[in-house]
Amino acid sequence: MTAPAGTGVPEKNPVVIAVPKETIVGEQRVATVPEVVQKLVKAGHAVRIEHDAGTAAFYPDALYTAAGATVVAGRHELFYGADIVLFVQPPTVDVVAELPEGTIAVGFMNPTRNLDAISRMRDRKITAFALELVPRITRAQSMDALSSQATAGGYVAAVLGANNCPKFLPMLTTAAGTIRPATVLILGAGVAGLMAIATAKRLGALVEAYDVRRAAGEQVRSLGAKFIELEINAEGQGGYARELTAEEKVMEQEMVSAAVARADIVITTAAIPGRKAPVLVTKETVAKMKPGAVIIDMAAETGGNCELTEAGKTVHIHGVTIIGPSNLPARVPFHASQMLAKNLQAFLGLLFTKEGALVTEYADEILKASMLVHAGTVTYQPAADLLKGGKA
C-alpha cells in the first residue's frame, strides 16, 4: 500500500485494526479469527492482536501471525495509533480510558446498560458502533451478530438440556423394552429457539414449540416440531413480538402451563429488546412439572422467563432443575468467534472507501442506525436520555 519511491505520490498509511483479549470472566470468544485477518491484511489493512486474545477460542497466536497480523504483548502497544478496535463484550470504563481519542470502536455495547463507559466514550470523542443496533434489513444480514450469536446460544441450550435430563432423548427399542422419546418444549421461536428446536430434533426428542407470532409456526413445522397455537397474533415491529394484553396473557399462561407440565426439557428464549424478560413459567407451573424435568432459561440475564430462575445459577425446586445460564455462545467459542468475526468483517466494509481508506462521513443507513457515540455526542437517543436523566 506504500507508493514506489520517487513517484511523488504520498505514502498511504494502512488502517490499523486492533483486537484486545476479552477480560470478562467466562468470555472465551475473540472478535476476529485468522481467516478474517488474512482477508483484512490482503485488503491493505494492518491488524494487531493482543497476546493470547484467541487462545481460549482455540486460535493461538501463531495462527494470527501466519495470517499476517502483528501479535503484541500489552494494551498500550495494541491501542497506540489504532484506528479501529473490535470488541466482543462492551468495553469497560478502564478500557475506554486507554483508547486513543477519536478511535472507532465496534462490538456489542449494551447501549442502555453500560452508561458509565458510554459517557467516557463521549468525553474521549470515541466513535462507537453497537452491533445490537444493526438494523434487521436484507443488506445487513451478513452483519447480524445478534442472530449469529443467538444461533450458537440455541445450540448450547439444547445440549445443556440434554446433558441435565435424566432420560434418553430419542426413542430406543432394546432387549429391555421400548424407551419413549423425551419431550422438549421451546418457548420462543426466534433465531435461538429455532436452533434449539433443530438441535433437539437431531438428538431424537419429540419437540413442541410456542411463539406468540403466528408467522413462526411455519418455521417451527418446517423443522419437524409441533407448533402450539394460541388464537392471537402478537407480531410487532421489526420481527419482534409485541407485549400481550392482560386477557391474552391469561390465555397464554394456561396453554403454556399445560405444555410445560408435560415436557421433560423446557428451553425458554423469549425476550423484548430493552425490557425485562416476560415471565412464561410461574412457580405454580414449576410445581406441576415432572420430577427430573429441566428448564434452561436463556433469558436469565434479563430477568428470566421462569419466575424461579436465578441468573448464573442452577437451582432444584420440586424435583425440577432450573438453569439460568449466562453467555451461552461463549461455551462454543471456536465457531461463535468465527461467526462474529465474519459479521464484523462485513460491518467494517461500510467503514472503508473503495481505495481502503476510512470513510469521512457515516452516511450509510446501517452506520447511522448502529452509531452509539460520535464526536462527543451520544447519538443513540435512549442512551442519551438515560444519561441526561442522571442514570449513568
Side-chain angles (χ1 to χ4, degrees), residues 258-281:
V260 169
R262 63 177 177 261
D264 298 297
I265 300 171
V266 178
I267 299 173
T268 69
T269 72
I272 301 173
R275 303 185 63 174
K276 183 181 181 299
V279 173
L280 301 180
V281 183

PDB file of all heavy atoms in Angstrom, residues 258-281:
ATOM      1  N   ALA A 258     -49.860 -25.910  30.642  1.00  0.00           N
ATOM      2  CA  ALA A 258     -50.166 -27.307  30.311  1.00  0.00           C
ATOM      3  C   ALA A 258     -49.034 -27.945  29.511  1.00  0.00           C
ATOM      4  O   ALA A 258     -48.668 -29.104  29.731  1.00  0.00           O
ATOM      5  CB  ALA A 258     -51.474 -27.377  29.533  1.00  0.00           C
ATOM      6  N   ALA A 259     -48.464 -27.188  28.578  1.00  0.00           N
ATOM      7  CA  ALA A 259     -47.364 -27.721  27.770  1.00  0.00           C
ATOM      8  C   ALA A 259     -46.108 -27.933  28.603  1.00  0.00           C
ATOM      9  O   ALA A 259     -45.399 -28.935  28.450  1.00  0.00           O
ATOM     10  CB  ALA A 259     -47.068 -26.772  26.609  1.00  0.00           C
ATOM     11  N   VAL A 260     -45.829 -27.008  29.511  1.00  0.00           N
ATOM     12  CA  VAL A 260     -44.657 -27.133  30.385  1.00  0.00           C
ATOM     13  C   VAL A 260     -44.784 -28.354  31.283  1.00  0.00           C
ATOM     14  O   VAL A 260     -43.824 -29.094  31.504  1.00  0.00           O
ATOM     15  CB  VAL A 260     -44.474 -25.847  31.227  1.00  0.00           C
ATOM     16  CG1 VAL A 260     -43.430 -26.069  32.330  1.00  0.00           C
ATOM     17  CG2 VAL A 260     -44.074 -24.673  30.354  1.00  0.00           C
ATOM     18  N   ALA A 261     -45.995 -28.581  31.789  1.00  0.00           N
ATOM     19  CA  ALA A 261     -46.210 -29.691  32.721  1.00  0.00           C
ATOM     20  C   ALA A 261     -45.921 -31.053  32.090  1.00  0.00           C
ATOM     21  O   ALA A 261     -45.513 -31.984  32.782  1.00  0.00           O
ATOM     22  CB  ALA A 261     -47.636 -29.641  33.258  1.00  0.00           C
ATOM     23  N   ARG A 262     -46.107 -31.186  30.791  1.00  0.00           N
ATOM     24  CA  ARG A 262     -45.886 -32.485  30.146  1.00  0.00           C
ATOM     25  C   ARG A 262     -44.484 -32.626  29.531  1.00  0.00           C
ATOM     26  O   ARG A 262     -44.123 -33.674  29.004  1.00  0.00           O
ATOM     27  CB  ARG A 262     -46.935 -32.735  29.062  1.00  0.00           C
ATOM     28  CG  ARG A 262     -46.932 -31.772  27.897  1.00  0.00           C
ATOM     29  CD  ARG A 262     -47.974 -32.182  26.842  1.00  0.00           C
ATOM     30  NE  ARG A 262     -48.020 -31.230  25.746  1.00  0.00           N
ATOM     31  CZ  ARG A 262     -48.915 -30.254  25.627  1.00  0.00           C
ATOM     32  NH1 ARG A 262     -49.866 -30.115  26.552  1.00  0.00           N
ATOM     33  NH2 ARG A 262     -48.887 -29.424  24.591  1.00  0.00           N
ATOM     34  N   ALA A 263     -43.667 -31.582  29.623  1.00  0.00           N
ATOM     35  CA  ALA A 263     -42.347 -31.597  28.995  1.00  0.00           C
ATOM     36  C   ALA A 263     -41.284 -32.153  29.930  1.00  0.00           C
ATOM     37  O   ALA A 263     -41.359 -32.011  31.148  1.00  0.00           O
ATOM     38  CB  ALA A 263     -41.964 -30.189  28.545  1.00  0.00           C
ATOM     39  N   ASP A 264     -40.267 -32.770  29.331  1.00  0.00           N
ATOM     40  CA  ASP A 264     -39.106 -33.229  30.088  1.00  0.00           C
ATOM     41  C   ASP A 264     -38.021 -32.155  30.129  1.00  0.00           C
ATOM     42  O   ASP A 264     -37.284 -32.030  31.105  1.00  0.00           O
ATOM     43  CB  ASP A 264     -38.532 -34.504  29.454  1.00  0.00           C
ATOM     44  CG  ASP A 264     -39.526 -35.650  29.483  1.00  0.00           C
ATOM     45  OD1 ASP A 264     -39.893 -36.077  30.597  1.00  0.00           O
ATOM     46  OD2 ASP A 264     -39.952 -36.105  28.403  1.00  0.00           O
ATOM     47  N   ILE A 265     -37.923 -31.384  29.048  1.00  0.00           N
ATOM     48  CA  ILE A 265     -36.983 -30.266  28.968  1.00  0.00           C
ATOM     49  C   ILE A 265     -37.727 -29.060  28.422  1.00  0.00           C
ATOM     50  O   ILE A 265     -38.439 -29.165  27.432  1.00  0.00           O
ATOM     51  CB  ILE A 265     -35.789 -30.586  28.036  1.00  0.00           C
ATOM     52  CG1 ILE A 265     -35.007 -31.806  28.533  1.00  0.00           C
ATOM     53  CG2 ILE A 265     -34.857 -29.383  27.911  1.00  0.00           C
ATOM     54  CD1 ILE A 265     -33.947 -32.288  27.542  1.00  0.00           C
ATOM     55  N   VAL A 266     -37.576 -27.940  29.098  1.00  0.00           N
ATOM     56  CA  VAL A 266     -38.172 -26.688  28.640  1.00  0.00           C
ATOM     57  C   VAL A 266     -37.036 -25.698  28.401  1.00  0.00           C
ATOM     58  O   VAL A 266     -36.211 -25.467  29.296  1.00  0.00           O
ATOM     59  CB  VAL A 266     -39.167 -26.111  29.663  1.00  0.00           C
ATOM     60  CG1 VAL A 266     -39.727 -24.774  29.177  1.00  0.00           C
ATOM     61  CG2 VAL A 266     -40.299 -27.096  29.931  1.00  0.00           C
ATOM     62  N   ILE A 267     -36.986 -25.122  27.202  1.00  0.00           N
ATOM     63  CA  ILE A 267     -35.988 -24.105  26.875  1.00  0.00           C
ATOM     64  C   ILE A 267     -36.735 -22.812  26.585  1.00  0.00           C
ATOM     65  O   ILE A 267     -37.566 -22.766  25.667  1.00  0.00           O
ATOM     66  CB  ILE A 267     -35.127 -24.521  25.669  1.00  0.00           C
ATOM     67  CG1 ILE A 267     -34.376 -25.820  25.980  1.00  0.00           C
ATOM     68  CG2 ILE A 267     -34.155 -23.408  25.287  1.00  0.00           C
ATOM     69  CD1 ILE A 267     -33.636 -26.410  24.796  1.00  0.00           C
ATOM     70  N   THR A 268     -36.473 -21.780  27.367  1.00  0.00           N
ATOM     71  CA  THR A 268     -37.178 -20.508  27.191  1.00  0.00           C
ATOM     72  C   THR A 268     -36.242 -19.485  26.562  1.00  0.00           C
ATOM     73  O   THR A 268     -35.093 -19.338  26.967  1.00  0.00           O
ATOM     74  CB  THR A 268     -37.719 -19.971  28.527  1.00  0.00           C
ATOM     75  OG1 THR A 268     -36.628 -19.575  29.364  1.00  0.00           O
ATOM     76  CG2 THR A 268     -38.538 -21.034  29.241  1.00  0.00           C
ATOM     77  N   THR A 269     -36.747 -18.771  25.555  1.00  0.00           N
ATOM     78  CA  THR A 269     -35.903 -17.838  24.798  1.00  0.00           C
ATOM     79  C   THR A 269     -36.551 -16.474  24.626  1.00  0.00           C
ATOM     80  O   THR A 269     -36.015 -15.631  23.910  1.00  0.00           O
ATOM     81  CB  THR A 269     -35.597 -18.411  23.400  1.00  0.00           C
ATOM     82  OG1 THR A 269     -36.787 -18.340  22.591  1.00  0.00           O
ATOM     83  CG2 THR A 269     -35.118 -19.850  23.456  1.00  0.00           C
ATOM     84  N   ALA A 270     -37.707 -16.245  25.251  1.00  0.00           N
ATOM     85  CA  ALA A 270     -38.492 -15.045  24.963  1.00  0.00           C
ATOM     86  C   ALA A 270     -37.844 -13.791  25.551  1.00  0.00           C
ATOM     87  O   ALA A 270     -37.491 -13.749  26.729  1.00  0.00           O
ATOM     88  CB  ALA A 270     -39.904 -15.208  25.505  1.00  0.00           C
ATOM     89  N   ALA A 271     -37.699 -12.770  24.711  1.00  0.00           N
ATOM     90  CA  ALA A 271     -37.118 -11.507  25.161  1.00  0.00           C
ATOM     91  C   ALA A 271     -37.751 -10.358  24.400  1.00  0.00           C
ATOM     92  O   ALA A 271     -38.129 -10.506  23.233  1.00  0.00           O
ATOM     93  CB  ALA A 271     -35.612 -11.501  24.948  1.00  0.00           C
ATOM     94  N   ILE A 272     -37.864  -9.211  25.062  1.00  0.00           N
ATOM     95  CA  ILE A 272     -38.335  -7.980  24.441  1.00  0.00           C
ATOM     96  C   ILE A 272     -37.186  -6.986  24.543  1.00  0.00           C
ATOM     97  O   ILE A 272     -36.736  -6.689  25.650  1.00  0.00           O
ATOM     98  CB  ILE A 272     -39.589  -7.425  25.155  1.00  0.00           C
ATOM     99  CG1 ILE A 272     -40.722  -8.451  25.113  1.00  0.00           C
ATOM    100  CG2 ILE A 272     -40.031  -6.114  24.500  1.00  0.00           C
ATOM    101  CD1 ILE A 272     -41.933  -8.061  25.940  1.00  0.00           C
ATOM    102  N   PRO A 273     -36.644  -6.501  23.415  1.00  0.00           N
ATOM    103  CA  PRO A 273     -35.470  -5.633  23.449  1.00  0.00           C
ATOM    104  C   PRO A 273     -35.635  -4.450  24.393  1.00  0.00           C
ATOM    105  O   PRO A 273     -36.642  -3.744  24.372  1.00  0.00           O
ATOM    106  CB  PRO A 273     -35.347  -5.161  21.990  1.00  0.00           C
ATOM    107  CG  PRO A 273     -35.988  -6.252  21.198  1.00  0.00           C
ATOM    108  CD  PRO A 273     -37.123  -6.742  22.042  1.00  0.00           C
ATOM    109  N   GLY A 274     -34.630  -4.255  25.269  1.00  0.00           N
ATOM    110  CA  GLY A 274     -34.625  -3.118  26.172  1.00  0.00           C
ATOM    111  C   GLY A 274     -35.537  -3.238  27.368  1.00  0.00           C
ATOM    112  O   GLY A 274     -35.665  -2.296  28.157  1.00  0.00           O
ATOM    113  N   ARG A 275     -36.189  -4.405  27.538  1.00  0.00           N
ATOM    114  CA  ARG A 275     -37.114  -4.564  28.661  1.00  0.00           C
ATOM    115  C   ARG A 275     -36.851  -5.867  29.392  1.00  0.00           C
ATOM    116  O   ARG A 275     -36.161  -6.746  28.892  1.00  0.00           O
ATOM    117  CB  ARG A 275     -38.563  -4.542  28.152  1.00  0.00           C
ATOM    118  CG  ARG A 275     -38.905  -3.278  27.382  1.00  0.00           C
ATOM    119  CD  ARG A 275     -40.360  -3.223  26.984  1.00  0.00           C
ATOM    120  NE  ARG A 275     -41.237  -3.185  28.141  1.00  0.00           N
ATOM    121  CZ  ARG A 275     -42.550  -3.020  28.075  1.00  0.00           C
ATOM    122  NH1 ARG A 275     -43.126  -2.902  26.897  1.00  0.00           N
ATOM    123  NH2 ARG A 275     -43.286  -3.002  29.159  1.00  0.00           N
ATOM    124  N   LYS A 276     -37.410  -5.973  30.584  1.00  0.00           N
ATOM    125  CA  LYS A 276     -37.275  -7.197  31.361  1.00  0.00           C
ATOM    126  C   LYS A 276     -37.943  -8.351  30.619  1.00  0.00           C
ATOM    127  O   LYS A 276     -38.990  -8.176  29.994  1.00  0.00           O
ATOM    128  CB  LYS A 276     -37.914  -7.016  32.735  1.00  0.00           C
ATOM    129  CG  LYS A 276     -37.762  -8.217  33.660  1.00  0.00           C
ATOM    130  CD  LYS A 276     -38.454  -7.962  34.996  1.00  0.00           C
ATOM    131  CE  LYS A 276     -38.288  -9.165  35.925  1.00  0.00           C
ATOM    132  NZ  LYS A 276     -38.873 -10.395  35.393  1.00  0.00           N
ATOM    133  N   ALA A 277     -37.343  -9.513  30.692  1.00  0.00           N
ATOM    134  CA  ALA A 277     -37.900 -10.690  30.018  1.00  0.00           C
ATOM    135  C   ALA A 277     -39.279 -11.022  30.581  1.00  0.00           C
ATOM    136  O   ALA A 277     -39.495 -10.943  31.792  1.00  0.00           O
ATOM    137  CB  ALA A 277     -36.963 -11.881  30.194  1.00  0.00           C
ATOM    138  N   PRO A 278     -40.230 -11.408  29.723  1.00  0.00           N
ATOM    139  CA  PRO A 278     -41.566 -11.769  30.220  1.00  0.00           C
ATOM    140  C   PRO A 278     -41.547 -13.096  30.971  1.00  0.00           C
ATOM    141  O   PRO A 278     -40.810 -14.015  30.605  1.00  0.00           O
ATOM    142  CB  PRO A 278     -42.394 -11.881  28.929  1.00  0.00           C
ATOM    143  CG  PRO A 278     -41.392 -12.246  27.874  1.00  0.00           C
ATOM    144  CD  PRO A 278     -40.123 -11.541  28.249  1.00  0.00           C
ATOM    145  N   VAL A 279     -42.336 -13.191  32.016  1.00  0.00           N
ATOM    146  CA  VAL A 279     -42.444 -14.445  32.771  1.00  0.00           C
ATOM    147  C   VAL A 279     -43.424 -15.368  32.051  1.00  0.00           C
ATOM    148  O   VAL A 279     -44.594 -15.041  31.871  1.00  0.00           O
ATOM    149  CB  VAL A 279     -42.921 -14.191  34.222  1.00  0.00           C
ATOM    150  CG1 VAL A 279     -43.186 -15.522  34.928  1.00  0.00           C
ATOM    151  CG2 VAL A 279     -41.886 -13.387  34.983  1.00  0.00           C
ATOM    152  N   LEU A 280     -42.932 -16.523  31.623  1.00  0.00           N
ATOM    153  CA  LEU A 280     -43.760 -17.510  30.939  1.00  0.00           C
ATOM    154  C   LEU A 280     -44.015 -18.740  31.799  1.00  0.00           C
ATOM    155  O   LEU A 280     -44.995 -19.448  31.586  1.00  0.00           O
ATOM    156  CB  LEU A 280     -43.082 -17.947  29.631  1.00  0.00           C
ATOM    157  CG  LEU A 280     -42.791 -16.865  28.599  1.00  0.00           C
ATOM    158  CD1 LEU A 280     -42.116 -17.475  27.378  1.00  0.00           C
ATOM    159  CD2 LEU A 280     -44.070 -16.137  28.196  1.00  0.00           C
ATOM    160  N   VAL A 281     -43.116 -18.998  32.735  1.00  0.00           N
ATOM    161  CA  VAL A 281     -43.235 -20.178  33.599  1.00  0.00           C
ATOM    162  C   VAL A 281     -43.278 -19.703  35.048  1.00  0.00           C
ATOM    163  O   VAL A 281     -42.265 -19.266  35.604  1.00  0.00           O
ATOM    164  CB  VAL A 281     -42.058 -21.153  33.394  1.00  0.00           C
ATOM    165  CG1 VAL A 281     -42.244 -22.391  34.253  1.00  0.00           C
ATOM    166  CG2 VAL A 281     -41.918 -21.537  31.916  1.00  0.00           C
TER     167      VAL A 281
END
